[in-house]
Amino acid sequence: MLPATSKLCAAISYRHLRNMTGLRRQAAVAISQELSRLACRSPGPSTWIHQVRRRSSLLSSRLEEKPFSEMEMSYIKQGEEALQKSLRILEDQDDWKTETVAGNGDKVLSKVLPDVGKVFRLEVVVDQPLDTVYGELVDNMEQMGDWNPNVKEVRILEKIGKDTVITHEKAAATPGNIVGPRDFVSVRCSKRRGSTCVLAGMSTTYGAMPEQEGFIRAENGPTCMVLRPLPGSPSQTRLTWLLSIDLKGWLPKTIINQVLSQTQVDFAKHLRQRLARPVPV
C-alpha cells in the first residue's frame, strides 16, 4: 500500500513541479525522494508518520526562506573559499619559521607560499572559554576598535544568511606613521563544527564601499582564526590566527614583516585585556 501511495503522490505533484524554480523546486524534489526512500524501507506506520512530519516541517521552513541573489551567492562562495584555503595552509606543518616567542608562550610563525606570499601564524592560549572568545570576535566584531589599538573601525556593511558578512575595516595609524592609513573591504565566514570554530575571510569588492579618500585600499586573505577548547581545560581556548595581508604602496618587506608580526602579538595582549574586564551587570 505504501509504495503505491508514494507513486500516486509523485504523479500528482509532477504537474506542479514543472512550474517550480529554484529553492521551491529543490524542496519539492527532496520531499518526493524522501517519500520514495521511506516507502522502500516500509517501517511501522507510527515511525513513518513521525519521520514525514519531522522532515516536512524542515522542508516547509526551507520553502519560506528567502533565496539568495546571484551576488549574495558569490559572496558566500568567496567566504567558503577563504575558509578552505586557510585550513589547507594551516594543515601543512612544513617550513614554518619562528618569528617571535613571547615570555607567556605566545608564538608567531611564518612561511612563504608561492601563490600567496608571506603568511603569519599566531598560536596562543586564552584563559577564557571558547564561547566567550567567539562572542567577542564574531558577535561583537564592530566593537574591536574599542579595545584593539591597531584597529580604528570595523563596520558590517551587509549580512548574508547566518554565516557570512561583508565588512569595512580601517586600520589605525602605526607609531611614527610608518605605515599610512589603510582600509579593507572583506567577506567573512564563520563556522562552528562541534567544539571547533573557524572565522575566515578575504578581500572583496563591494559597490557601496568604493576606495575612500585618504586611505590606501589594502588586501587581505585568505585569513582565518581557529578556536578550540584546550584539551583537558575547557575554560581555556587555543587560538590560531593565520594572517595574510598585502598592504600595497611602496613599503620595504622588512618593515611589513615587522609590522604584521607585531600586530599579531599586540592582538593577543589586547584580546586578553578585553576578556578580563568586569562584565557589566
Side-chain angles (χ1 to χ4, degrees), residues 126-140 192 194-197 199 227-230 234-238 275:
V126 181
D127 294 331
Q128 295 288 340
L130 185 147
D131 285 343
T132 301
V133 181
Y134 181 89
E136 190 62 53
L137 296 177
V138 177
D139 300 333
N140 299 332
R192 298 193 66 159
S195 61
T196 299
C197 300
L199 324 172
L227 310 176
R228 298 186 182 94
L230 191 67
S235 63
Q236 295 179 294
T237 301
R238 182 178 296 281
L275 297 175

Side-chain angles (χ1 to χ4, degrees), residues 176-250:
N177 203 30
I178 296 176
V179 178
R182 258 63 174 178
D183 73 339
F184 305 83
V185 173
S186 308
V187 55
R188 301 190 185 201
C189 171
S190 59
K191 298 287 186 180
R192 298 193 66 159
R193 293 293 181 268
S195 61
T196 299
C197 300
V198 182
L199 324 172
M202 65 187 298
S203 285
T204 190
T205 57
Y206 192 74
M209 184 55 68
E211 294 190 15
Q212 305 293 291
E213 184 176 355
F215 287 85
I216 294 176
R217 179 62 52 86
E219 295 182 358
N220 62 47
T223 183
C224 80
M225 290 186 184
V226 180
L227 310 176
R228 298 186 182 94
L230 191 67
S233 181
S235 63
Q236 295 179 294
T237 301
R238 182 178 296 281
L239 185 154
T240 300
W241 177 17
L242 177 71
L243 177 64
S244 171
I245 286 184
D246 182 355
L247 291 174
K248 302 297 184 180
W250 299 95

